[in-house]
Amino acid sequence: MSSTNTNTDPTNPTPTRYRRSRTMLSKPDPNWVRNDDFHNSFLIPYDDALEHALKHSAENGMPDIAVHPGQGKLLNLLARTMGAKRILEVGTLGGYSTIWFARAVPEGGEVVTCELQEKYAQVARENFEYAGVSDKVKILVGPAADTLQTLPSDEKFDLAFIDADKASNLTYYLQAKRVVKRGGVIIVDNVVRNGTVANPDIDDENVRGVRKLLEHIKNDKEVDATTIGTVSEKGYDGFLYSLYL
Ligand code: DHB
Ligand code: MG
């Protein structure tokens, strides 16, 4: 484990951000990490509940694959920008991005998040409790391909975030489309994967899952989309942002 103090004002020390040694898809360039730290020091204050979620998740053996703070904040800002009241998430993990979303929805809004493993869901519940967002979050435990089918299509979501097993991207995307309103947004994490998705020499279930989704969207006249690549402390990756027309 390693940690870096992101504080830029020595007269006003803030707690140190929790940071694990990385086991990511690509080793982050120290220049990218410094850049994140620099920007975050102005724009994303130290946040006890989010740091607790990362630490508590790590202590319970979860992989270090939550979105990075800048992405979490972007998701929060997008949700607020569109005035999202109902958000669907596929892939809870420790609930780090869920907390960012839960804070974006107004009183009476909700985040429905799907998690495969009860063990992870329990840690996420504890993280939601600590963050004070439990009343806004509903966790559905089990294979998302099944639980998504139980969501009624007459209770629409404003926004969906897909961040689970990559092989099932298209299944999740089609289910999300069924329950997201027209004019709503579906965002998919990890569509760049250190450039492997575009590398013809690489062919694993993860890159195939992303390519299948891209192929679908190319022919789906009901959505319009773009990929935004990101370099960060989590390496080289990206979001797919799509609008349900
Ligand atoms: C992996 C999954 C993620 O959702 C992520 O953000 C990074 C990596 C993975 O399975 O390797
Ligand atoms: Mg992800």
Side-chain angles (χ1 to χ4, degrees):
M1 307 232 179
S2 66
S3 59
T4 306
N5 197 333
T6 60
N7 187 22
T8 53
D9 177 2
T11 64
N12 181 26
T14 56
T16 302
R17 264 196 60 214
Y18 179 72
R19 183 173 284 157
R20 294 161 72 184
S21 57
R22 295 287 169 209
T23 51
M24 301 308 298
L25 291 163
S26 60
K27 212 172 163 44
D29 185 318
N31 186 30
W32 304 345
V33 176
R34 182 177 60 187
N35 183 68
D36 273 4
D37 287 347
F38 183 75
H39 283 264
N40 293 350
S41 73
F42 295 98
L43 306 175
I44 309 181
Y46 177 87
D47 189 307
D48 182 52
L50 289 168
E51 297 304 314
H52 174 269
L54 293 178
K55 193 160 179 287
H56 189 51
S57 301
E59 286 165 356
N60 282 277
M62 291 192 190
D64 181 24
I65 53 173
V67 297
H68 67 79
Q71 287 178 323
K73 180 126 188 215
L74 176 65
L75 295 172
N76 172 282
L77 289 168
L78 289 170
R80 286 158 61 197
T81 302
M82 66 181 72
K85 293 184 179 61
R86 298 192 76 233
I87 297 174
L88 173 66
E89 180 178 65
V90 187
T92 315
L93 200 67
Y96 181 83
S97 49
T98 325
I99 293 171
W100 278 109
F101 280 131
R103 289 174 172 175
V105 298
E107 202 68 35
E110 72 169 341
V111 183
V112 175
T113 183
C114 305
E115 173 51 47
L116 175 63
Q117 301 190 49
E118 170 53 34
K119 193 180 117 193
Y120 286 2
Q122 184 49 36
V123 175
R125 282 185 203 103
E126 289 159 12
N127 289 335
F128 300 150
E129 201 61 37
Y130 188 94
V133 297
S134 300
D135 57 333
K136 286 183 174 168
V137 180
K138 188 195 286 177
I139 310 188
L140 304 178
V141 182
D146 298 336
T147 47
L148 287 168
Q149 286 184 38
T150 68
L151 297 173
S153 48
D154 59 348
E155 289 175 27
K156 295 294 189 203
F157 291 89
D158 304 289
L159 170 65
F161 179 55
I162 297 172
D163 189 16
D165 66 290
K166 313 309 170 192
S168 306
N169 267 338
L170 181 56
T171 302
Y172 300 151
Y173 189 85
L174 294 173
Q175 281 296 326
K177 236 185 107 185
R178 187 179 63 78
V179 293
V180 165
K181 69 177 189 187
R182 295 272 179 165
V185 167
I186 304 173
I187 300 172
V188 185
D189 195 23
N190 311 115
V191 296
V192 172
R193 304 188 66 80
N194 195 30
T196 55
V197 169
N199 183 343
D201 297 331
I202 308 258
D203 188 31
D204 61 37
E205 61 175 357
N206 296 313
V207 299
R208 277 200 296 273
V210 179
R211 289 171 188 159
K212 236 168 90 178
L213 175 65
L214 290 168
E215 200 58 48
H216 167 83
I217 292 178
K218 179 183 178 183
N219 297 308
D220 186 341
K221 299 291 172 259
E222 295 182 325
V223 296
D224 204 1
T226 192
T227 290
I228 290 296
T230 53
V231 291
S232 74
E233 63 182 45
K234 295 263 171 149
Y236 171 33
D237 214 322
F239 278 151
L240 184 136
Y241 183 102
S242 66
L243 178 65
Y244 190 5
L245 302 170

